[in-house]
Amino acid sequence: MQKYIRNFSIIAHIDHGKSTLSKKIIQICTKKKINNKESIIDSMDLEKEKGITIKSHSVNLKFKYKKKIYHLNLIDTPGHTDFSFEVFRSLHACEGALLLIDATKGIQAQTLANFYVAKKLNLEIIPIINKIDISYVNTKSIETQIIDILKYKKKQIFYCSAKTGKGIKKIIKNIIHKIKPPVGYINKPLQAIIIDSYFNNYIGTVFFIKIINGFLKKNNKIKISNNKHIFNIEYIFLKKPKKIITDILLCGEIGWIVCKTKKTNYRFIGEIITSNKNKEFKKQIKFKQQTPQIYVSIYPLNNTNFYYFKKSLEKLILNDPSIQIKPEQSTLLGYGFRCGFLGLLHIEITKERLLREYNLDILITPPNVVYKIKNKKNKILYISNPEKIPNKHEIKKIKEPIAICNIICPHQYIGKIISMCNQKRGIQKDLIFFKNYVLLKYEIPISEIITNFSDTLKCISNGYASFNYVFLKFKTTNIFILEVLINYKKIKQLTTLIHQNNIKKYSENLIKTLKNNINKHQFNIVIQIVCNNKIIKSINIKSFRKNVISKCYGGDVSRKKKLLYKQKKGKQKMKKFGNVSLNKDIFFKIIKLNK
């Protein structure tokens, strides 16, 4: 049985046709017609609306070849860099991968990133040029890219049109020939790895697993993570692509198990499952958790329902373990969580999922990166929330995170892209020319990448350039703490870390936003922006004046003077003890300003 199993993923840059190829492979294996517009892989409404894959999706298929039935376990993966942890986990369940390359776009940044991950895991990689049905494509130039960069020979490259189905059967046959069956022993004690999980309100936590050794049956008792969690297998199912219940998973197979556990505050992904009777079981190393690149604070707009918000976030993280959370409290916004994400799209998708799946309206603060701060006592602090920054006199050095960026673009856009990278404080590390394109390597601060870098790159290259980035190091740069004082009181929620080049523009916009949104009081309001112990911007919102002498229709002028003097003393007292309250609407405006 095991020698007829083939576990493989489809990996590519975003919008290169992974889901379309998956549908066509499913159609050929199941011999059922599938409309091109019909979504049988993408299960979320968000995936269908945005036209991207957010979660990896597995399908168990059968294909008859040379009078033998082969079990093809296909995993369709996301293409966007923000969901790279999904790809990494999916590849752990496979022995091979189909590397899909769009014939109209060629090799792009995430194509390379996914290729190197698969290569590192020693998977059999089959390069495929897709969309060959388009009349104007030049497949020879794409061949050259694959040969130059990926070091494949021409005879190792396959061609297909996922839309029309041309070349798909040949690819399926080569999956059988080239990708090796899984290695494992059915007579050994049970050993399975949890690749993914999600929470269902009716049946509890569902696990997506791969059997490495042994086998798993319905009603078996299993343990996870060194005897800490023991569960009973309620039932097992496969997706073909519809859910099919089965009684057993054999060595090398992948499938889903239901244990009816309601635990949501534990990250199961990456854990090893074994039999409850296995006494020699040792705790295994989990997947290496990806370090979040940007951080935001998330608060429920209705703070009275904080417990439901907390549970909803835990259920979401069960399905997306790349999110990191830590509870925090704000005097302005109440109770919430400080959350780490892999990118801006990751934040946007999480916000939408909380709204759609859990009916939660949330407030997300402006994104920040992690800064490395060395204090006067030579203690190292990693600060992702500007509110937690130590006092200026305690700081010895501030370092910001730097990423290595790989940018692939046609020759004609190189000048504009270099200019943009220089404006983003980038340092060029390498420039490699190929026949029709160029590969640029830049060191760029992550704080510059998360502020419209991708949109600007697409704009100046007419959509032909692509990039991916990974954290490289912390580096000392001209980073300053920007603070806001209102009537000489520091507003912690508005503290931010900012580079010297951006201070002037940001402070002008910030003080203008505050002036336009703070209501007048019966005393003057002084707004000051302080940087490096110096006031760099200041503005005064004049008080409105109540006409206290309106009822005086004559008489001695001393009466009017007495009333005006009393008003003056009252204003001075109000200025001393009165508070200027910042409501959430002002905070929304500042969030938009940061974006």
Side-chain angles (χ1 to χ4, degrees):
M1 174 64 184
Q2 196 169 321
K3 65 180 181 180
Y4 299 116
I5 297 173
R6 300 292 183 272
N7 300 319
F8 66 97
S9 286
I10 303 178
I11 54 175
H13 190 86
I14 190 169
D15 201 30
H16 278 217
K18 295 181 303 301
S19 296
T20 310
L21 177 61
S22 299
K23 282 191 279 187
K24 195 58 70 174
I25 291 173
I26 293 168
Q27 182 177 312
I28 289 169
C29 291
T30 59
K31 296 179 181 178
K32 293 179 182 178
K33 286 189 177 181
I34 300 169
N35 193 318
N36 283 331
K37 293 182 180 179
E38 186 183 349
S39 181
I40 58 169
I41 292 287
D42 298 335
S43 56
M44 290 185 202
D45 290 336
L46 268 174
E47 292 178 314
K48 296 166 189 175
E49 288 171 19
K50 293 183 176 289
I52 60 172
T53 303
I54 295 167
K55 288 291 300 177
S56 295
H57 301 282
S58 68
V59 185
N60 307 86
L61 303 166
K62 289 182 180 180
F63 184 76
K64 191 173 182 180
Y65 180 61
K66 291 185 178 179
K67 298 181 180 181
K68 302 289 184 183
I69 301 295
Y70 287 87
H71 296 261
L72 308 181
N73 297 319
L74 178 156
I75 303 178
D76 180 33
T77 64
H80 197 282
T81 184
D82 284 11
F83 307 108
S84 55
F85 192 48
E86 283 284 331
V87 181
F88 176 73
R89 297 198 324 267
S90 299
L91 291 175
H92 270 79
C94 303
E95 285 73 44
L98 307 183
L99 183 67
L100 205 60
I101 300 161
D102 191 326
T104 63
K105 298 172 183 175
I107 291 176
Q108 293 190 283
Q110 200 57 29
T111 314
L112 278 177
N114 290 336
F115 171 77
Y116 290 131
V117 171
K119 201 77 177 171
K120 196 173 181 180
L121 293 171
N122 296 317
L123 302 187
E124 180 66 42
I125 305 168
I126 301 173
I128 302 167
I129 299 174
N130 187 27
K131 302 185 183 179
I132 58 169
D133 57 302
I134 299 173
S135 57
Y136 60 83
V137 297
N138 181 10
T139 55
K140 287 187 177 180
S141 65
I142 311 300
E143 280 175 12
T144 306
Q145 289 184 21
I146 295 170
I147 293 164
D148 287 349
I149 297 182
L150 307 182
K151 308 301 180 187
Y152 279 94
K153 295 177 182 178
K154 187 177 177 180
K155 64 181 181 181
Q156 294 175 297
I157 302 168
F158 293 86
Y159 308 85
C160 78
S161 167
K163 187 178 179 181
T164 64
K166 185 179 180 181
I168 306 295
K169 280 190 177 179
K170 188 177 179 182
I171 290 168
I172 295 172
K173 289 173 184 177
N174 275 278
I175 289 170
I176 293 167
H177 282 297
K178 290 181 174 291
I179 296 175
K180 295 176 181 178
V183 177
Y185 302 94
I186 198 164
N187 54 353
K188 278 193 173 184
L190 171 66
Q191 187 183 20
I193 187 168
I194 300 175
I195 304 296
D196 202 357
S197 62
Y198 68 87
F199 188 84
N200 184 289
N201 287 327
Y202 301 103
I203 58 177
T205 305
V206 184
F207 301 117
F208 176 52
I209 66 167
K210 180 189 178 182
I211 308 292
I212 300 169
N213 287 309
F215 60 90
L216 190 63
K217 279 185 175 182
K218 181 184 174 182
N219 296 326
N220 280 169
K221 285 197 178 295
I222 59 167
K223 58 184 176 183
I224 300 174
S225 182
N226 204 15
N227 297 318
K228 286 184 180 178
H229 303 283
I230 298 174
F231 303 120
N232 184 62
I233 304 294
E234 296 290 332
Y235 65 90
I236 304 166
F237 68 89
L238 306 173
K239 292 182 179 178
K240 298 194 172 189
K242 290 183 179 180
K243 189 187 289 187
I244 303 292
I245 293 176
T246 183
D247 292 329
I248 189 168
L249 275 181
L250 299 173
C251 183
E253 290 189 321
I254 62 175
W256 299 83
I257 61 171
V258 177
C259 304
K260 287 198 175 177
T261 174
K262 297 288 184 178
K263 289 181 180 290
T264 58
N265 59 349
Y266 186 83
R267 299 191 185 214
F268 293 102
I269 292 174
E271 295 284 7
I272 297 293
I273 292 174
T274 191
S275 169
N276 188 36
K277 297 176 182 178
N278 186 4
K279 295 180 180 179
E280 297 179 3
F281 173 65
K282 294 180 181 178
K283 189 175 179 180
Q284 302 288 326
I285 299 171
K286 290 186 178 184
F287 293 134
K288 186 180 178 182
Q289 184 71 36
Q290 283 196 322
T291 306
Q293 302 297 333
I294 56 179
Y295 288 81
V296 297
S297 292
I298 300 180
Y299 297 92
L301 291 182
N302 180 9
N303 241 308
T304 57
N305 208 6
F306 179 75
Y307 180 77
Y308 176 71
F309 168 64
K310 178 176 178 288
K311 282 293 175 185
S312 300
L313 201 55
E314 285 176 355
K315 289 174 186 176
L316 186 70
I317 291 169
L318 198 66
N319 191 228
D320 187 358
S322 56
I323 303 171
Q324 292 186 11
I325 65 168
K326 187 179 180 182
E328 72 171 13
Q329 183 182 4
S330 167
T331 52
L332 179 63
L333 300 168
Y335 291 96
F337 287 93
R338 191 68 179 169
C339 303
F341 294 91
L342 298 181
L344 292 176
L345 181 64
H346 196 194
I347 297 172
E348 184 188 337
I349 293 299
T350 301
K351 182 180 179 181
E352 282 293 320
R353 288 188 68 184
L354 285 170
L355 177 62
R356 296 182 188 211
E357 296 174 27
Y358 303 100
N359 198 27
L360 277 169
D361 282 320
I362 57 172
L363 165 68
I364 295 182
T365 62
N368 293 105
V369 297
V370 178
Y371 291 91
K372 186 178 180 180
I373 295 176
K374 189 176 185 180
N375 62 18
K376 293 288 177 69
K377 296 178 182 178
N378 290 325
K379 187 179 178 181
I380 301 297
L381 306 170
Y382 292 92
I383 304 294
S384 66
N385 188 347
E387 289 186 42
K388 308 291 183 185
I389 296 169
N391 292 326
K392 292 180 286 293
H393 65 271
E394 296 176 2
I395 297 173
K396 187 175 181 180
K397 192 182 290 183
I398 300 177
K399 292 185 177 183
E400 69 174 327
I402 306 294
I404 187 76
C405 280
N406 294 310
I407 303 170
I408 296 176
C409 68
H411 290 161
Q412 61 264 39
Y413 302 110
I414 186 171
K416 290 180 180 178
I417 291 172
I418 288 174
S419 177
M420 184 198 74
C421 291
N422 291 338
Q423 287 174 12
K424 295 284 186 180
R425 301 190 282 128
I427 299 171
Q428 191 179 116
K429 289 296 176 183
D430 206 351
L431 182 63
I432 304 169
F433 282 93
F434 295 98
K435 190 174 181 181
N436 298 314
Y437 60 95
V438 65
L439 173 63
L440 296 97
K441 289 183 182 288
Y442 266 86
E443 284 183 13
I444 302 176
I446 293 179
S447 59
E448 297 287 352
I449 293 171
I450 66 172
T451 52
N452 295 325
F453 186 90
S454 180
D455 292 342
T456 308
L457 181 67
K458 292 291 181 186
C459 183
I460 63 176
S461 67
N462 294 326
Y464 285 103
S466 66
F467 87 107
N468 80 300
Y469 67 96
V470 290
F471 169 77
L472 180 66
K473 62 182 178 181
F474 283 98
K475 184 180 178 182
T476 305
T477 53
N478 294 324
I479 295 292
F480 293 94
I481 302 169
L482 212 66
E483 298 174 321
V484 177
L485 305 182
I486 296 180
N487 278 357
Y488 314 107
K489 292 180 182 177
K490 185 163 73 173
I491 310 299
K492 278 191 172 183
Q493 290 83 6
L494 301 181
T495 302
T496 187
L497 285 160
I498 195 163
H499 190 264
Q500 184 180 12
N501 296 353
N502 303 323
I503 289 173
K504 185 179 178 182
K505 187 177 178 181
Y506 179 79
S507 58
E508 285 174 355
N509 290 333
L510 178 59
I511 205 163
K512 186 179 176 182
T513 303
L514 289 169
K515 182 190 174 185
N516 293 338
N517 290 282
I518 294 177
N519 296 325
K520 284 188 175 185
H521 289 56
Q522 291 189 45
F523 51 88
N524 288 353
I525 300 171
V526 180
I527 304 172
Q528 297 168 314
I529 295 183
V530 179
C531 181
N532 205 22
N533 291 326
K534 292 180 182 177
I535 297 169
I536 59 171
K537 289 285 175 185
S538 180
I539 200 164
N540 193 3
I541 300 175
K542 293 287 185 182
S543 62
F544 63 78
R545 181 184 175 189
K546 184 179 178 182
N547 191 358
V548 293
I549 59 173
S550 61
K551 293 182 181 180
C552 296
Y553 296 105
D556 190 1
V557 71
S558 61
R559 187 182 171 207
K560 292 183 181 179
K561 286 182 178 179
K562 187 178 178 181
L563 288 169
L564 290 170
Y565 180 76
K566 188 178 178 182
Q567 184 188 46
K568 182 181 177 182
K569 286 292 181 183
K571 284 180 180 286
Q572 286 174 351
K573 189 176 180 180
M574 275 192 283
K575 187 174 181 180
K576 188 175 181 181
F577 298 105
N579 288 320
V580 180
S581 59
L582 295 178
N583 58 36
K584 288 184 180 180
D585 290 336
I586 295 173
F587 208 73
F588 287 142
K589 298 276 177 67
I590 294 166
I591 289 172
K592 288 179 181 177
L593 171 68
N594 276 269
K595 286 180 180 177

